[in-house]
Amino acid sequence: MKDVKDIEFAMEMEEVIDRSSLQPERLNAKLDLKMKDCSKDDKFAEFIFEVKEWCRNPYGGVHGGIISAVFDTTMGMGAVGMTKQFVTTTDISVSFLRAMNADKYIFRADYTQVGKRLVRCMGKAIDAETGEVAATAMASFMTLDSKPKGIQV
């Protein structure tokens, strides 16, 4: 995270990521995402996803469900950081452009609308070695008035 554009926002985002580690048996913690870069003013967040063996399909690529989960998690964590509220996914669409056989990806979320009740964003999964975009996503998140029952932090 050395050349982060927005240090204060990056610290807030690290706090959001750290909350996941409090529940190590849950998917968010198992994905073991790392903050790469972010900016509240420029409305984006980038995360590093290092592929674990359990994330691979029988052909050696990253399982499509895992890719979808990483998009949902990274875009959702960014939405929490942008709004400082808990959020829930209202819709998500993922497009797979090529097989994801690499060991490390950068997931970038660009926030196109950050409102009081709804956050919309677009995401890219980028091969960290080649720079090729391997998948894209669009999602919307609704802010919540209170902490959901399942979140024990």
Side-chain angles (χ1 to χ4, degrees):
M1 220 176 44
K2 54 185 199 193
D3 294 320
V4 173
K5 292 176 179 39
D6 185 340
I7 297 296
E8 185 177 319
F9 183 54
M11 290 172 56
E12 291 173 13
M13 290 301 302
E14 285 290 347
E15 191 175 309
V16 172
I17 293 170
D18 288 346
R19 282 188 214 139
S20 295
S21 66
L22 298 175
Q23 297 173 315
E25 72 286 354
R26 298 208 177 167
L27 180 64
N28 286 12
K30 290 184 183 302
L31 293 174
D32 193 28
L33 299 164
K34 305 286 188 256
M35 176 58 56
K36 181 181 185 306
D37 195 3
C38 62
S39 170
K40 195 164 193 167
D41 290 338
D42 294 332
K43 296 183 181 173
F44 81 91
E46 290 182 338
F47 299 84
I48 296 170
F49 172 62
E50 293 189 41
V51 180
K52 314 288 186 297
E53 190 58 33
W54 67 267
C55 297
R56 297 197 180 275
N57 62 28
Y59 311 106
V62 183
H63 188 284
I66 296 297
I67 296 163
S68 297
V70 175
F71 272 124
D72 188 34
T73 303
T74 56
M75 292 190 293
M77 283 197 276
V80 169
M82 291 282 173
T83 63
K84 296 187 179 184
Q85 291 183 270
F86 290 102
V87 300
T88 188
T89 309
T90 59
D91 62 85
I92 187 168
S93 173
V94 178
S95 297
F96 303 96
L97 307 177
R98 57 182 40 89
M100 293 180 68
N101 298 317
D103 294 325
K104 187 190 294 188
Y105 290 89
I106 298 164
F107 277 74
R108 179 181 173 103
D110 288 291
Y111 296 87
T112 56
Q113 178 191 2
V114 180
K116 289 182 181 180
R117 296 295 295 158
L118 202 61
V119 177
R120 296 181 193 271
C121 58
M122 299 185 313
K124 292 180 186 176
I126 304 160
D127 184 316
E129 188 176 319
T130 67
E132 289 184 318
V133 176
T136 60
M138 294 188 322
S140 299
F141 299 88
M142 182 175 58
T143 59
L144 301 173
D145 293 330
S146 62
K147 182 170 38 174
K149 291 180 185 177
I151 299 178
Q152 307 276 326
V153 292

